[in-house]
Amino acid sequence: MTKQYYKAIYFSDYPSLYTKDKSVTLAFNESEVPYFSKVKDMTTQEIKELIGIETYKQLSLFADEQERSINQVVKRLIKQNLVKIDKIDGMDKKDITFIKSKKTPFQRWYPYIEGYSPEFVKSLISNFEIKDSPIYDPFAGTGTTLFASDELGFSTVYSEVNPLLQYLIQTKVRILKTDAQQRRKLSKYLTDISKTILKSLDKFEEDKILRETYKTLFANSKYFPEKIFSQILKLRSFIDIVKFENELLADTINVAVVSCLLPVSYLKKAGDVRFKNKNEIEKDMKTFADVLPQKIMDIAEDVLNFNYSLKNEHEFILSNAKNIDRINELKIGAIITSPPYLNGTNYFRNTKIELWFLRFLQYENDLRYFRDQALTSGINDVKKKHNLANGNGFDITSKSELLKHTLIELEKKAYDSRIPMMAKNYFEEMHQIFNDCKHYLSKNTKILIDIGDSIFSGVHIKTDEILIDLLIELGYEFIDNKILRKRRSRNKEVLTQSLLVFQYSHNNGKFTHRNIPFFWEKNWNEFKTLIPHQQIPYSSRNWGHKNHSLCSYQGKLKPAIAHHLVKTFVPENGSMLDPFCGVGTIPFEAALGGKISYGIDISLPAYYISYAKVTTPVSTECYNYINALDSFIKRNNCTKDELNEVKNFGFNKKLSDYYEKNTLEEILLARRFVKINYPRTPSEMLVVASLLHILHGNRPYALSRHSHPIVPYAPTGEFIYKNLIEKLREKVERVIYEELPLYFRNGKIFNQDATKIWPQEINNLDAVITSPPFFDSTRFYLANWIRIWFSGWSEKDFKYQPKSFIEERQKVDFSIYESIFRQSKERMKKDGAFVLHLGKSTKCDMAEELQKISKRWFKTADLFIENVSHCESHGIRDKGTVTSHQYLILV
């Protein structure tokens, strides 16, 4: 018997007493499966629109006229009309949604339903005869425009404000740039891991910090079953360990895990992300065993079998398209994009658990900071005080009568006062983006925008028509508005998805940035003339606040230099960032001056020390932490593994060569205590920083035999017992009783890789001031190896972790600074300065190299050279390969 497939269509006027029977059921045979597959997921209303008949009475009359059964008539109309609508000017309708991407290699890795397919982009490039590169996508999503353009030989530049989507793009780009051998290896690793990953999770500890950030971000919200949540925390630890040896493999596993987080959670994406109801939990709840191994295998298959490599350059120029006017030296050949629809969707809220797992969400206000950056498209994106698009105070409604009328209607009818504000902000920001883009467009550039309209409180916001008004006013030539498909609003009203086509025929020439003087220019000229840090009293080796000496550190910038750079480039009550802050010399000088200070450093000891410097401790909290440590040492004993480690591990000497036996055991127990009781408050940070300082040195405070504050000088002298708690208390007391100025302002330090995405709080900066590791600098992790070991590194960490340090990476490629320049440009005020204190050596002119890398975002305002042949560092004459210091000022 031939198999049949059924689809019911509801008609309210169907002649039946019971609502459940008011439908016509269509029967499709096996030869009609292609048509059934296209309508099986359609709603009743969508099928009625497809066949052009709304009521059962109309259908019945039409069937009588055709002398056919109702089943035959409806199926015939479906077949006829599907053929008509399946293609729009050579474009497959499925290409304009994410449907095809669900099965497309690489695109299927993460389900981003807001996207379109690569085939759609390729059809646009072909149909509209785009010939010039680069193609710009201001809202890149998962990178569909990028990958489709590459296949047709085009390079791209792109923006994307969501770090999750940035991460997905960059991981796929890196894989698609690898050769066949590298892909085979990656695929083999993934295949092996897919078979063992869940079985091996019990060997890993839960990531405690990720658990804590969950509480900080989500409070008591329960998004996962407890067992699943524990697995997630262990997966984080597992991936972090994989990253030591193979960063690309770790990133690829990250992609697999984040794509599985929603299926194993109590959440569901249905438009917006919401909690599953009871029935959905019973039916749809998955475990990692159900989804993760298969997802990893899917990725492994794509990596191995997708025989394609990127041929062109694809540059991430900005996260936020609203900052496009901050770019230098860019010519755009076309714009192809699908901006967020004005639909109330909170795109960051919908990806919050993925952002949390990837550590892009860590602090309480991060979600708010992300929303503030995004294009205003949801109610929660509306800010109380909104900056007008061009900063000129103009009224956006003067650019479109339709927009003006729409906003008036929304003011009357909207159930929430934020809705008209949301609509107004959306069009202001879109106007700003396309106004600022003009300066980079080649002559006769095509602009292709996939956009949808919306309805709020019964008011139809005709987004496509309003955008046409705004872009025409900006000087764009309107070509066409193609209806791609019909959509449904949440209240089932009919909406459309459109393709707007424009051309920009003007030739603007170069975009000119401001030429007015900067506030710091006078002070900077004085700095160059006087070189104040070489004058008394600043030239004294011990100049500055005593807390600068909280802990010895190799390569620390002279406090006097930091003082004068902060004084020159950061205005009163201004803000600054040092992305390579080390032990916090520059942020501490800013905090001493009453300025807002931020610092980033990848080294954990540097983080403890700099955090302690830029914040104010409480003496009672310090003593409480010390007392807890004292109690821990007295109650516990060292393990065999701990004792064996110190006998076998070390660089210039083994750890056991530095300490008397009982002192060494106290240090081992203190190390374990700090690992368990990770310092959180300024007071706890101060205690740990003080402990790091007394670990070794040539003064009576040191717990070690006679050595040096900076190793690797081998220890000498007698093995003498020194009580850790006693020496620690003495050091802490010397620090907490040092007075800070009344106008001292607490700063913030973040422990992370500065080349990764910065915390969202770091924004609106007056200056970025930093002294990155010099090209030929001493390896910081060796000069501070005992302190780094105490902070948790093992012998394996010393083998792999330094590869992520900037001093190692810059020896391979200075392009690692790109993300730092890009983020600095977006996080700084428009008149801010990026100040780099660099070392020029016989092997490398750092200023020259960094100017090449920074030119996309910055222009060189000045380069000042200072002779340093007379300098000393920690009492040692600094006669390495560094011949001079360079002050590179970028704007």
Side-chain angles (χ1 to χ4, degrees), residues 366-377:
D366 277 357
L367 212 52
R368 174 77 262 175
Y369 288 126
F370 277 127
R371 289 204 304 264
D372 287 349
Q373 293 175 58
L375 185 75
T376 302
S377 56

Side-chain angles (χ1 to χ4, degrees), residues 3 638 764:
K3 190 172 182 179
C638 296
N764 205 32

Side-chain angles (χ1 to χ4, degrees), residues 516-578:
I516 62 175
F518 292 96
F519 73 87
W520 44 261
E521 286 185 84
K522 180 175 179 291
N523 290 339
W524 173 239
N525 288 328
E526 288 179 2
F527 180 99
K528 291 189 294 179
T529 303
L530 300 174
I531 314 184
H533 54 277
Q534 293 189 18
Q535 313 303 320
I536 294 174
Y538 303 108
S539 57
S540 169
R541 184 186 296 172
N542 295 322
W543 180 88
H545 195 281
K546 288 190 181 298
N547 284 1
H548 274 298
S549 300
L550 175 58
C551 185
S552 308
Y553 198 74
Q554 175 74 15
K556 182 173 73 176
L557 185 69
K558 280 184 67 175
I561 297 177
H563 172 78
H564 287 287
L565 290 179
V566 169
K567 184 178 176 183
T568 299
F569 291 99
V570 186
E572 188 176 353
N573 294 318
S575 61
M576 58 72 58
L577 163 72
D578 182 352

Side-chain angles (χ1 to χ4, degrees), residues 342-344 376-380 382 403 406-407 409-411 413-427 454-459 461:
L342 183 58
N343 56 10
T376 302
S377 56
I379 292 175
N380 290 323
V382 175
L403 174 58
T406 303
L407 292 177
E409 287 297 300
L410 285 172
E411 290 281 0
K413 299 179 180 178
Y415 60 86
D416 189 315
S417 62
R418 292 174 297 173
I419 291 174
M421 291 172 64
M422 173 187 70
K424 185 170 184 282
N425 293 356
Y426 179 85
F427 290 109
S454 55
I455 293 175
F456 286 91
S457 301
V459 179
I461 304 176

Side-chain angles (χ1 to χ4, degrees), residues 645-661:
E645 180 184 14
V646 295
K647 289 176 184 175
N648 298 313
F649 173 67
F651 287 94
N652 49 325
K653 285 288 182 180
K654 304 303 181 190
L655 275 162
S656 57
D657 293 322
Y658 275 83
Y659 305 99
E660 187 273 339
K661 178 178 176 294

Side-chain angles (χ1 to χ4, degrees), residues 1 15 43 77 84 107 126 185 187 214 216 223 350 366 388 473 529 539 574 708 744 805 873:
M1 186 174 178
T43 65
L77 288 171
K84 291 178 186 176
Q107 292 295 102
S126 300
K185 283 184 180 178
S187 180
Y214 183 95
T216 300
Y223 296 142
N350 284 348
D366 277 357
L388 290 177
E473 189 273 336
T529 303
S539 57
H708 194 276
F744 181 86
F805 280 29
S873 177

Side-chain angles (χ1 to χ4, degrees), residues 64 90 99 119 326 399 475 547 635 661 674 726 839 853 887:
D64 289 344
I99 292 173
E119 296 305 317
R326 301 189 178 199
K399 311 298 180 184
N547 284 1
R635 291 195 325 265
K661 178 178 176 294
V674 171
E726 177 187 317
I853 302 298
Y887 296 84

Side-chain angles (χ1 to χ4, degrees), residues 211-274:
R211 180 182 279 276
E212 288 182 21
T213 58
Y214 183 95
K215 292 176 186 174
T216 300
L217 294 166
F218 309 131
N220 296 321
S221 297
K222 189 170 183 180
Y223 296 142
F224 304 97
E226 198 55 46
K227 182 183 177 183
I228 295 287
F229 186 57
S230 178
Q231 286 181 308
I232 291 169
L233 300 178
K234 290 176 180 179
L235 282 166
R236 179 72 278 155
S237 298
F238 167 73
I239 295 169
D240 288 346
I241 290 171
V242 171
K243 192 170 185 175
F244 290 165
E245 299 188 37
N246 191 328
E247 185 174 0
L248 184 56
L249 175 61
D251 289 342
T252 311
I253 300 169
N254 260 333
V255 171
V257 173
V258 297
S259 72
C260 295
L261 290 179
L262 268 184
V264 300
S265 75
Y266 291 126
L267 301 172
K268 176 177 182 174
K269 190 163 188 182
D272 281 336
V273 170
R274 61 166 174 79

